Amino acid sequence: MLRAWKLEIMLDPQSDKALYLQIADAVISDIRSGRLKPGEALPGSRSMAMLLKVNRNTVVEALGVLVIEGWLVSKERQGTFVADTFPVFAERSLNGKLDVVKDKTAAAVRLQFDDGHPDSKIAPINELARAYRQLFGQKGRWQLMGYGNELGDPEFRKTIVQMLNYQRGMQVSEEHICITRGSQMAMYLMAQCLFTAGDQVMVENPGYKPAWKAFEKAGAKLLPVNVDAEGLVVDEVAAYLESGRQIKALYVTPHRQYPTTVTLSLHRRLQLIRLSNKYDFTIIEDDYDNEFHFGYRPILPLSSFCELQNYVYIGTMSKVVAPALRIGYLACTCDSLVGKVGELRKMIDVQGDSIMEQAVLQLIKDGTVKRHIKKATAHYKLKRDDTAALLEKYMNGKVSFTIPDGGLAFWIVPNEKVDWSKLREKMQEKGIEITTPENYSFNETVNGLRVGYGSLSEKDLEEGIAVLAGLL
């Protein structure tokens, strides 16, 4: 592509102003003077770096600032161009700060870094719709319209049992399963049936607040346990127990800890099981993110260990098909607890969505779900690798992160402490939404950010990460 703009930038290495700001200000000056016109292309970062005799990262940072401030726009696989409309800024001071004159009202949200939603565009919607039509076309369709079992469609439960036993190493039967409208409903039903006022529950910190709220709604008191590179710090669990506290349960996300994505080590898993058996507390295992794994195979659940005596296992199919598909499930070998869950379920919802359950069951039986998981896993692995490359490109030296073995999100930790409310406000001004760390912190806000990549396009990922990097 022809780059008509003639590069005439004089840099002063002795200036108090950083080189990348000198480059940025020179580009702004040419835009204001009309030498650079709306829609005009800039040279690539490598070419600019060679012409200016500076490190390419310096040019990349300058261009990133200009994109963030609205002077330039980055177009995927095309290059960087002068924006069609310009922001109104006062002059930049020597320290690089700007006095913004433009309206500070947050822009409409254009893209959102969620906490790990799947890509709805690749969901098998047509296959699901076809299964629905076939169900309603059956001669016995009138039977579908009556009330069913409060624990879920028996055939569907049997299929979930097979999946848990054959693929996840568990040992459950049909009467141990309750199908729910999403995993959060399973969490709420379980909490209401397991806890009484004053019960103490250990939870991961940082962790999943919607589960915490379900426990507190049932009257439970939360006890935070820290998380490190090996997952839940089990020594802190032992310290609570050895202090004489009467612990009713522990809530854990061992496969890919929420939000940090770390896997609970085998040593700690075994240690946790011994503690559960010794002190007679229930392990509530939330396996929210099992399907998409990029290694040899997913780590088997805690609930698959035959030694574990007291557990509740909670899973979901919402990520397998689509977020709007609200199918979760609860598994527990304690018959009395499952019975209580069924009774409460019947009071508030009578039964599940039996037609949806049978439609999904059909997709499982005809192999659609298996093929989709295989296709989606390859899709998300490429997205994960692309996201890792973008983080390296834009955030090198600013954050640390570990490339996850699966799932749909990264956990990034800034090298310096961040004012998260201010960062979110600045991101919103650019039309980008983030979930700030107080949403998964117990008391003091953790210095880390969960960045979901599954639902975003490559273009949106690059734009969002570039903006985030520029503001850190």
Side-chain angles (χ1 to χ4, degrees):
M1 183 181 292
L2 181 63
R3 311 286 180 178
W5 179 53
K6 186 177 179 181
L7 189 67
E8 294 180 356
I9 297 177
M10 302 299 294
L11 300 178
D12 180 6
Q14 307 302 318
S15 172
D16 291 334
K17 187 186 294 185
L19 287 176
Y20 79 94
L21 291 178
Q22 293 183 47
I23 296 171
D25 283 345
V27 174
I28 292 171
S29 177
D30 277 6
I31 292 173
R32 282 176 166 167
S33 69
R35 288 188 68 243
L36 264 175
K37 295 179 173 52
E40 195 166 345
L42 269 70
S45 58
R46 292 184 188 278
S47 300
M48 285 186 71
M50 290 176 61
L51 290 167
L52 295 173
K53 296 181 173 57
V54 297
N55 188 290
R56 185 188 174 207
N57 288 340
T58 302
V59 175
V60 169
E61 195 157 5
L63 296 177
V65 168
L66 293 167
V67 169
I68 291 166
E69 293 180 357
W71 297 102
L72 303 179
V73 292
S74 177
K75 298 182 180 179
E76 187 177 355
R77 295 192 180 90
Q78 296 183 44
T80 306
F81 300 81
V82 179
D84 292 330
T85 57
F86 307 134
V88 180
F89 287 120
E91 292 298 318
R92 190 190 300 274
S93 61
L94 287 177
N95 64 7
K97 292 184 178 179
L98 292 170
D99 295 322
V100 182
V101 179
K102 64 178 180 178
D103 183 9
K104 295 192 181 203
T105 303
V109 174
R110 297 179 292 104
L111 64 94
Q112 180 176 12
F113 281 117
D114 55 51
D115 65 354
H117 295 174
D119 188 348
S120 298
K121 294 188 292 296
I122 66 169
I125 300 302
N126 293 334
E127 293 86 345
L128 187 63
R130 184 178 66 247
Y132 247 88
R133 290 194 298 271
Q134 289 175 352
L135 283 169
F136 278 104
Q138 292 172 357
K139 290 183 179 179
R141 61 184 178 273
W142 57 271
Q143 294 176 332
L144 300 175
M145 308 310 291
Y147 288 122
N149 193 306
E150 64 272 15
L151 295 178
D153 178 78
E155 194 67 24
F156 187 68
R157 284 158 56 205
K158 191 179 298 183
T159 300
I160 294 295
V161 165
Q162 291 174 347
M163 181 266 291
L164 294 179
N165 290 347
Y166 298 153
Q167 296 179 19
R168 303 188 190 179
M170 294 174 61
Q171 301 171 44
V172 293
S173 56
E174 186 182 332
E175 60 268 21
H176 299 145
I177 299 287
C178 178
I179 308 299
T180 58
R181 295 183 191 269
S183 59
Q184 188 61 26
M185 182 184 198
M187 198 78 66
Y188 177 83
L189 292 171
M190 177 276 304
Q192 291 293 321
C193 296
L194 182 62
F195 302 135
T196 56
D199 282 344
Q200 300 186 80
V201 183
M202 296 177 285
V203 297
E204 299 165 320
N205 180 40
Y208 188 56
K209 273 196 173 179
W212 301 355
K213 291 178 180 178
F215 303 156
E216 289 179 318
K217 188 70 175 177
K221 179 182 178 183
L222 306 182
L223 303 174
V225 180
N226 288 316
V227 172
D228 63 15
E230 290 187 59
L232 185 79
V233 181
V234 180
D235 285 345
E236 293 185 17
V237 174
Y240 274 134
L241 297 164
E242 290 165 2
S243 70
R245 289 179 179 268
Q246 296 298 310
I247 305 297
K248 187 64 175 284
L250 177 142
Y251 171 74
V252 64
T253 54
H255 188 204
R256 272 186 287 276
Q257 198 273 334
Y258 183 92
T260 67
T261 76
V262 301
T263 299
L264 186 63
S265 67
L266 178 59
H267 169 72
R268 292 190 182 179
R269 287 167 184 258
L270 297 175
Q271 187 182 0
L272 194 57
I273 289 170
R274 286 194 294 269
L275 289 171
S276 171
N277 292 342
K278 179 179 178 180
Y279 290 95
D280 195 33
F281 65 85
T282 299
I283 292 180
I284 303 166
E285 181 173 15
D286 186 354
D287 203 0
Y288 72 97
D289 207 9
N290 185 283
E291 281 75 19
F292 305 120
H293 188 78
F294 311 134
Y296 291 107
R297 69 169 186 172
I299 303 298
L300 293 178
L302 282 166
S303 304
S304 70
F305 286 77
C306 58
E307 300 90 346
L308 181 59
Q309 297 169 7
N310 303 306
Y311 72 83
V312 175
Y313 180 86
I314 293 173
T316 178
M317 293 201 69
S318 297
K319 285 190 166 125
V320 177
V321 184
L325 180 72
R326 305 312 300 158
I327 293 184
Y329 50 87
L330 174 155
C332 175
T333 53
C334 176
D335 293 340
S336 62
L337 180 59
V338 176
K340 290 178 182 177
V341 167
E343 290 173 7
L344 180 58
R345 168 65 183 273
K346 194 168 186 177
M347 283 171 30
I348 63 176
D349 197 29
V350 182
Q351 64 171 38
D353 187 344
S354 60
I355 300 176
M356 177 63 80
E357 290 170 20
Q358 291 185 50
V360 173
L361 176 62
Q362 186 167 315
L363 298 189
I364 293 173
K365 287 185 172 181
D366 68 15
T368 297
V369 168
K370 184 178 180 180
R371 290 192 297 272
H372 172 67
I373 291 175
K374 184 178 180 179
K375 173 185 172 183
T377 300
H379 173 74
Y380 292 131
K381 185 177 186 297
L382 287 174
K383 270 196 169 185
R384 179 205 65 174
D385 295 343
D386 289 343
T387 304
L390 290 171
L391 291 172
E392 287 286 355
K393 176 181 177 180
Y394 290 102
M395 296 198 183
N396 188 25
K398 295 186 176 184
V399 305
S400 61
F401 65 93
T402 300
I403 299 177
D405 289 331
L408 303 175
F410 276 74
W411 176 251
I412 63 172
V413 179
N415 294 342
E416 298 181 6
K417 195 166 181 61
V418 174
D419 183 335
W420 292 104
S421 60
K422 185 176 180 181
L423 176 65
R424 183 186 183 193
E425 180 183 328
K426 293 293 184 184
M427 293 288 285
Q428 286 175 332
E429 289 176 6
K430 305 296 180 184
I432 302 171
E433 187 66 77
I434 59 174
T435 301
T436 46
E438 69 267 14
N439 289 282
Y440 28 74
S441 302
F442 190 81
N443 285 323
E444 184 177 348
T445 300
V446 297
N447 194 44
L449 186 68
R450 186 173 168 93
V451 175
Y453 62 83
S455 62
L456 293 175
S457 68
E458 184 180 339
K459 178 177 179 293
D460 285 346
L461 273 171
E462 180 156 18
E463 179 187 355
I465 289 172
V467 172
L468 181 60
L471 292 173
L472 282 176

